[in-house]
Amino acid sequence: MAYRLPDDGDTKPRAICTACHTVHYENPLNVVGTLPVLGDRVLLCLRNIEPRKGKWTLPAGFMELNETTSQGAARETDEEAGAQIQMGPLFSVVSVPYVGQVHLFYLAALLSDQFQPGFETIEARLFTEEEIPWDDIAFRTVKITLERFFADRQTGSFGVHNVDIT
Amino acid sequence: MAYRLPDDGDTKPRAICTACHTVHYENPLNVVGTLPVLGDRVLLCLRNIEPRKGKWTLPAGFMELNETTSQGAARETDEEAGAQIQMGPLFSVVSVPYVGQVHLFYLAALLSDQFQPGFETIEARLFTEEEIPWDDIAFRTVKITLERFFADRQTGSFGVHNVDIT
């Protein structure tokens, strides 16, 4: 690999294979997930994998090809929490440029309080606002999403929150 | 390259280099842009590059590393239209799973009616709703975003529109 300008008018250096000349573009990745709600409680997952093993997160993961943002969010909720949900509206869109990611969270209504977490999750548990382990939240995007949710719940009106973490 | 399951518990086949065993993940790409507004007119760009050369689009392009969604949208607006804008709120988030993309458009207020389009754009021009060349819009995500904008303008209230094109 060599980093140089491609020959197509592109203005940024790209990783180009010195053998086959393939341009390997590197672009931000989307992380998609849900904020599952049951009554006055929300679902968090205790991470069983790095990074942030042993910290609490909302169910979320990398968006895959051939799915929409909400389909990816539903898939991750199933994989990480084994939770039965009805998908709700888009709630937060958070850019994290220093890791090259955009995190998108949907509100979701839990249809059951029984969970079947996958191997990535030690435990899936419901928390009231007062019970949220704020000092042990895995990611800032999750903390921001939870904060905005509880603030919006006070007003009774849920918006779409576009936040940049810089 | 061989397509097989990685050894880390991943459940999807990935492109893995048979020589160095690097896993080359392929994930959806974000396209970020703006809907620039001046009075009752919006800015469209006549594409000078494929795909859809000779069709009209909103200024937009692939999000790069080390930028937020809105920073990318501002950069593309500068590169493709040379337009002076004040960035507004997130307006549309459109999944296009069959091409592995998510398109995000921001509203933007034009500060001038003078444009300096780059090499990707033949012409940048302002259109009223009645003048929009609906049959010559380059991408469905752009058409949907324009339709939602004019509908919201009727009501005087602009939301965030999350749409899936499937």
Side-chain angles (χ1 to χ4, degrees), chain B residues 149-161:
Chain B
F149 170 76
F150 290 118
D152 278 9
R153 197 177 63 172
Q154 290 275 352
T155 72
S157 171
F158 295 93
V160 182
H161 300 272

Side-chain angles (χ1 to χ4, degrees), chain B:
Chain B
M1 290 289 184
Y3 276 83
R4 66 170 177 82
L5 289 182
D7 304 321
D8 63 356
D10 194 344
T11 58
K12 289 196 169 55
R14 309 289 180 179
I16 300 178
C17 178
T18 52
C20 72
H21 309 296
T22 299
V23 181
H24 293 275
Y25 292 96
E26 297 168 282
N27 293 88
L29 295 173
N30 287 337
V31 169
V32 289
T34 60
L35 195 169
V37 181
L38 185 67
D40 67 342
R41 294 180 297 172
V42 301
L43 179 66
L44 295 179
C45 296
L46 189 59
R47 287 177 64 82
N48 193 31
I49 53 172
E50 295 297 346
R52 312 293 161 75
K53 185 172 177 173
K55 301 290 184 183
W56 293 92
T57 189
L58 292 167
F62 289 112
M63 184 182 178
E64 299 278 0
L65 293 176
N66 304 311
E67 67 186 7
T68 67
T69 48
S70 67
Q71 286 169 345
R75 177 183 51 71
E76 289 289 344
T77 305
D78 181 52
E79 289 178 7
E80 298 202 348
Q84 307 299 309
I85 60 166
Q86 180 179 343
M87 187 60 68
L90 181 62
F91 181 71
S92 65
V93 179
V94 186
S95 287
V96 197
Y98 59 88
V99 292
Q101 295 179 1
V102 180
H103 291 212
L104 300 100
F105 286 97
Y106 286 80
L107 297 183
L110 280 164
L111 305 175
S112 158
D113 62 359
Q114 300 300 307
F115 313 115
Q116 299 191 305
F119 78 96
E120 295 171 82
T121 302
I122 296 168
E123 180 187 2
R125 195 203 297 181
L126 293 167
F127 293 85
T128 65
E129 182 176 1
E130 292 68 32
E131 295 167 344
I132 297 281
W134 291 108
D135 294 339
D136 291 308
I137 298 296
F139 304 106
R140 284 180 65 190
T141 58
V142 169
K143 186 156 187 264
I144 286 169
T145 298
L146 289 168
E147 287 169 345
R148 298 293 178 109
F149 170 76
F150 290 118
D152 278 9
R153 197 177 63 172
Q154 290 275 352
T155 72
S157 171
F158 295 93
V160 182
H161 300 272
N162 185 207
V163 180
D164 295 336
I165 298 181
T166 53

Side-chain angles (χ1 to χ4, degrees), chain A residues 9 14 36 48 53 61-62 65 87 89 92 98 104 106 111-112 122 138 157:
Chain A
R14 308 288 179 181
N48 193 31
K53 186 173 177 175
F62 289 111
L65 293 176
M87 187 61 67
S92 65
Y98 59 87
L104 300 100
Y106 287 79
L111 304 175
S112 158
I122 297 169
S157 171

